[in-house]
Amino acid sequence: MTYANILIEHDDAIAVVILNRPKVLNALNRATMDEVVTALEALDHDDAVRCIVLTGSERAFAAGADINEFAAATPVEMLAGYRFQQWERIRQIAKPVIAAVRGFALGGGCELAMLCDMIVAGEGARFGQPEINLGLMPGAGGTQRLTRAVGKARAMEIILTGRQVTAAEAYAMGLITRVVPDEVVVETAKDIARQIAAKAPVAVRLAKDAVLAAFDTTLEVGLDYERKLFYLLFATEDRQEGVRAFLEKRPAAFRGR
Amino acid sequence: MELPRYETLLVDADAGVLTVTLNRPDVLNAVNEQLSADLLDALRLAEREPAVRCLVLTGAGRGFCSGQDLRDRAGVGEVAYGESLRRRYNPIVLRLRTMEKPVIAAVNGVAAGAGCNLALAADLRVASDRATFIEVFARIGLIPDSGGTYHLPRLVGLAKAFELAYTAEPVDAAEALRIGLVNRVVPHDDLMPATLALARRLAEGPTRGYGLTKRGFNFALGATLEATLAYEADLQTIAGRTADHREGVTAFFEKRPPRFEGR
C-alpha cells in the first residue's frame, strides 16, 4: 500500500507512522485521516510489528483539522463526513500506539495524540483545543479524553479559553509521559516502543485493554475484567517462558503465544 | 543578510556578530512601546538567521538603558504593568534566554530598572568602567521585573540581591565585577572593541554546542541533579551529531585549530 499523506518506517518490531504534510502543519484532512486509520489497522494485523509510534514533523504533530474542508459544511454534511466515526477506529487498535509530538498538537492534532496510548513530547510542543476561537468546540474526543487525562478544572480552562499548553505544563498535568529535547522525541518514543516490543505481546495487548477499560467502567467491573484477563494470561506459552527465564536468570524470548 | 531599519535601534552585522544598539540616547534609551516592539523583532531576526552566531546588545550615548519610559503611557499605571510585562518585556527576556546563541550585553553606562534586568538576561556582560547598575524599582514601590527576581539572586546570591533590590542604590562597575554581576570591566573607550573581539571569537565557535549548553543551563536552573543528568545525556546525543563536533575531533587529531561552521 502506498500513501500520499503519510510515511511508514519499520525498525525491527517498531513501526513509525509519520504524518507528512509539513507545509500545512499536518492539517488532518479526510484523506490523511483515511490513510492513518488504514495504516494503523494494517500494522495492527502485521505480526512483525509489536508497537507503533505515530509522529508528525518538526514544526507540528498536527495543527488541527483542515479548516478549508469544513468551512462551508452543513451539519448534515458533517454528520455524513469523515470526522468522528472514523477516528474512533483508532481506539480499536490492539497494539500500543505512542504519539511522539514535536511542535503543535492543536485541535484535531491534540485529539489524535490523546487517542494514542501515551504521548512523548519535545520541549517546544504545544497542546491545545482552540476550536472555541472559531466558534466551535472539540469534536473528535477532546472534551472527553482531555477531561479524563487532566481532570475537569484544567480541561475546562483549556477548552473554554482555547489557550495553548506548553509541554512542561502538559507533563505536570499528566497529559504526557515524557518531555525531552525536540531533537530526540522520536527516538525517545522508539526507545519506549522497543522496551514494550520486548514484552510478551499477548500480555501487552490485554494490559492495554484493561487500562482502557478503566475509563469506561465502574471500579468493580474494571477489577473483575482485569482479574479475568490476568487469569487468561496463565494459558499462554509466553507466561511459562517468562517465568522460566526469570528463574534461569536469562532474558525471556516471547513469541506471542 | 538584509538588515531591517528600526526607529529606535541601530543594527549592524559583521563577522557573524549582530550588534543591536538601543538608540534613544536623549532619554538614556528608555523603553517605550516602539523600542520594545523593535527589540523583540531584532531578537527574532538574530534567533532565526543562521549567519548570526553571536548577539551583542548595547546602548547609544551615555546610557545602556534606563528601563521603562515613564512618559510612555502604554507601560505605566496600575493596570498597565502586568499587561505591559506580559506583552512586551517578558517575550524579550525569554527570547534572550532561550535564543540558542551567545548573547553579550556591552553595558556602556547606566543600566536601570528593566534596563538593568535586560543586561542581566544576557549570557555575558562586559561593562565600561562608567557603567552603573540600579535595581531602581523600590524607589517607586515596584518589584524588580523583566527577570530581575530570577536572575539577580542567581547571579549575586540572595543576600546581595535583597540589598540591591531594597536599597535601589547604584552599583558601580568595579563593585559589579566584585559581586559577580558582570564578567569583565574595561576602560570606557575599549568597551566596543573588547566586546566585539569576544563576540567574534564566540561567533567562530561551535554555535550548536553553545546553544545546547545554554539550553542545559536553563534546564538545570530549575531541575534536580537526577533530571539534569538525564537531560545532559539527551543534549550530548544531539551535540554528538553536529558537524562541528566531527570537525572538532578531526582537528584535534590533525593537530590544527578547528573551523566550526555553527552546525
Side-chain angles (χ1 to χ4, degrees), chain A:
Chain A
M1 174 96 194
T2 56
Y3 298 102
N5 301 295
I6 63 172
L7 301 171
I8 298 182
E9 289 173 0
H10 289 268
D11 186 351
D12 290 325
I14 315 298
V16 184
V17 177
I18 305 162
L19 301 168
N20 190 32
R21 302 210 305 147
K23 282 187 187 142
V24 291
L25 301 176
N26 296 321
L28 299 169
N29 62 357
R30 183 182 184 141
T32 303
M33 281 310 295
D34 277 343
E35 292 187 5
V36 169
V37 173
T38 305
L40 290 177
E41 286 177 346
L43 294 169
D44 207 24
H45 291 116
D46 181 345
D47 287 340
V49 173
R50 290 194 178 178
C51 192
I52 302 164
V53 172
L54 175 61
T55 192
S57 24
E58 220 171 281
R59 288 185 55 218
F61 175 75
D66 193 330
I67 291 169
N68 297 321
E69 227 172 32
F70 64 79
T74 67
V76 174
E77 283 161 2
M78 289 302 286
L79 183 67
Y82 70 102
R83 293 202 81 208
F84 315 113
Q85 307 87 324
Q86 180 203 30
W87 288 51
E88 289 306 306
R89 279 160 61 191
I90 295 172
R91 229 180 120 196
Q92 306 303 322
I93 303 297
K95 288 170 187 166
V97 183
I98 303 173
V101 176
R102 293 167 293 177
F104 299 112
L106 302 177
C110 187
E111 289 167 310
L112 179 59
M114 289 191 294
L115 259 165
C116 299
D117 297 309
M118 62 187 100
I119 303 174
V120 175
E123 292 162 312
R126 295 286 181 278
F127 297 86
Q129 299 288 160
E131 292 88 345
I132 203 87
N133 300 326
L134 306 183
L136 284 167
M137 58 176 278
T143 62
Q144 302 304 298
R145 292 202 173 84
L146 187 62
T147 306
R148 282 163 162 82
V150 304
K152 176 188 135 186
R154 285 184 286 216
M156 282 289 187
E157 194 217 316
I158 293 165
I159 290 168
L160 298 185
T161 65
R163 80 175 177 94
Q164 293 181 14
V165 172
T166 64
E169 273 185 279
Y171 179 76
M173 290 178 188
L175 181 63
I176 65 182
T177 47
R178 286 269 200 105
V179 185
V180 294
D182 292 321
E183 295 92 330
V184 295
V185 172
V186 176
E187 61 197 83
T188 302
K190 284 174 75 176
D191 188 51
I192 296 170
R194 219 168 272 120
Q195 292 175 45
I196 294 170
K199 313 297 181 201
V202 181
V204 167
R205 179 181 179 146
L206 297 191
K208 166 173 168 167
D209 194 26
V211 172
L212 288 179
F215 288 114
D216 301 331
T217 57
T218 62
L219 180 61
E220 205 169 294
V221 172
L223 290 171
D224 186 49
Y225 189 59
E226 178 193 79
R227 268 194 302 275
K228 283 173 179 150
L229 296 181
F230 179 72
Y231 299 149
L232 185 58
L233 286 174
F234 280 75
T236 60
E237 285 176 26
D238 279 347
R239 196 274 307 189
Q240 292 169 16
E241 162 63 9
V243 173
R244 210 179 307 123
F246 179 78
L247 294 174
E248 292 170 9
K249 299 186 164 102
R250 59 169 174 84
F254 295 120
R255 297 195 298 175
R257 280 186 253 173

Side-chain angles (χ1 to χ4, degrees), chain B residues 92-179:
Chain B
I92 289 171
V93 173
L94 271 176
R95 224 161 256 264
L96 288 168
R97 289 256 27 99
T98 56
M99 179 186 312
E100 296 198 351
K101 342 190 152 181
V103 178
I104 308 174
V107 185
N108 52 301
V110 66
C116 179
N117 291 334
L118 282 185
L120 301 192
D123 302 343
L124 298 163
R125 277 154 297 286
V126 180
S128 145
D129 53 10
R130 294 185 201 158
T132 54
F133 296 84
I134 318 174
E135 292 287 352
V136 75
F137 302 91
R139 292 190 194 169
I140 53 171
L142 295 178
I143 65 124
D145 61 22
S146 301
T149 63
Y150 185 89
H151 291 120
L152 193 61
R154 283 169 166 81
L155 285 166
V156 301
L158 198 54
K160 207 69 196 170
F162 270 125
E163 186 184 324
L164 300 186
Y166 282 173
T167 65
E169 295 290 341
V171 175
D172 65 23
E175 175 71 354
L177 183 64
R178 194 186 67 77
I179 65 178

